[in-house]
């Protein structure tokens, strides 16, 4: 079945400012497996991560609103069952760039827009070569799915599928909606 979720990375805002924008409060209760609808973790890279169980919540309007006053907001939307992954960035209320893979359009499908991050070209070349080497369209693995997510990991140092990083383990706490 796999992940069907989203996560956001905020740069230039404190965790408290992020919570206020999203209408959340930090319960201070550990959520190491991201079982809550929302959980958050401060990374040593300076980014604050918000894990979201609802893949549709970070839509264009919300991302534009949430990026106001932030240096940048990165967004990952992941549907492993459908093999769709999307990475996007927003700055000052506007979309900056996006990268989308939808395996229903073919294993090599990769759509992009905006002012793309410099790391994309190298990541795309490496993972496209791996896909080709493993059999292309008939390969048992979809390496192209990882391109948007690897771009985000390169930019902020976080991957949804990892629990341990070179810098340690993120401490996620449950975030609750403000009542």
């Amino acid at each position: 079945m796999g992940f069907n979720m989203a996560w956001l990375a905020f740069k230039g805002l404190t965790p408290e400012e992020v919570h206020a924008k999203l209408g959340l409060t930090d319960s201070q209760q550990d959520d190491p497996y991201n079982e809550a609808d929302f959980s958050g973790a401060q990374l040593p890279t300076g980014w604050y991560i918000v894990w979201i169980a609802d893949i549709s919540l970070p839509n264009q309007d919300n991302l534009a609103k949430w990026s106001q006053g932030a240096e940048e907001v990165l967004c990952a939307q992941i549907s492993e069952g459908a093999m769709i992954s999307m990475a996007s960035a927003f700055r000052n209320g506007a979309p900056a760039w996006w990268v989308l893979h939808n395996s229903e359009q073919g294993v090599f499908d990769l759509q992009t827009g905006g002012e793309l991050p410099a790391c994309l070209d190298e990541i795309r070349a490496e993972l496209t070569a791996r896909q080709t080497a493993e059999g292309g369209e008939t390969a048992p693995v979809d390496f192209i799915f990882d391109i948007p997510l690897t771009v985000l990991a390169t930019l902020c140092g976080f991957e949804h599928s990892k629990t341990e990083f070179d810098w340690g383990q993120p401490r996620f706490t449950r975030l609750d909606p403000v009542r």
Side-chain angles (χ1 to χ4, degrees):
M1 186 160 150
F3 286 104
N4 190 34
M5 48 75 66
W7 60 265
L8 306 172
F10 289 84
K11 183 128 187 172
L13 294 175
T14 66
E16 295 76 19
E17 290 170 321
V18 172
H19 300 157
K21 282 182 173 291
L22 275 63
L24 300 170
T25 184
D26 192 341
S27 72
Q28 298 297 314
Q29 299 295 310
D30 286 343
D31 186 19
Y33 304 109
N34 305 105
E35 295 172 310
D37 288 341
F38 303 94
S39 55
Q42 180 68 55
L43 304 184
T45 59
W47 293 86
Y48 182 73
I49 306 297
V50 176
W51 184 286
I52 303 172
D54 182 350
I55 193 171
S56 66
L57 187 59
N59 61 46
Q60 294 280 319
D61 291 339
N62 284 339
L63 289 164
K65 179 175 56 173
W66 296 337
S67 72
Q68 291 289 342
E71 187 177 319
E72 187 168 42
V73 175
L74 303 177
C75 177
Q77 291 171 290
I78 303 150
S79 178
E80 288 182 348
M83 293 307 287
I84 298 170
S85 62
M86 182 171 182
S88 59
F90 280 70
R91 295 183 195 114
N92 298 316
W97 57 265
W98 57 272
V99 179
L100 170 68
H101 170 66
N102 181 348
S103 67
E104 292 178 5
Q105 305 297 317
V107 76
F108 286 100
D109 174 70
L110 193 70
Q111 303 165 46
T112 63
E115 190 176 321
L116 298 166
C119 63
L120 174 63
D121 289 339
E122 184 178 329
I123 293 166
R124 177 177 18 206
E126 177 187 331
L127 293 175
T128 299
R130 288 180 72 188
Q131 187 70 44
T132 301
E134 291 292 325
E137 291 284 344
T138 61
V141 176
D142 182 352
F143 290 105
I144 308 306
F145 175 87
D146 291 331
I147 292 174
L149 307 174
T150 303
V151 167
L152 293 175
T154 301
L155 296 174
C156 75
F158 180 74
E159 296 177 55
H160 75 284
S161 60
K162 288 178 70 174
T163 56
E164 192 73 34
F165 299 86
D166 291 341
W167 45 263
Q169 209 171 11
R171 179 182 175 252
F172 278 94
T173 58
R174 189 185 77 236
L175 305 177
D176 296 323
V178 174
R179 305 265 181 237

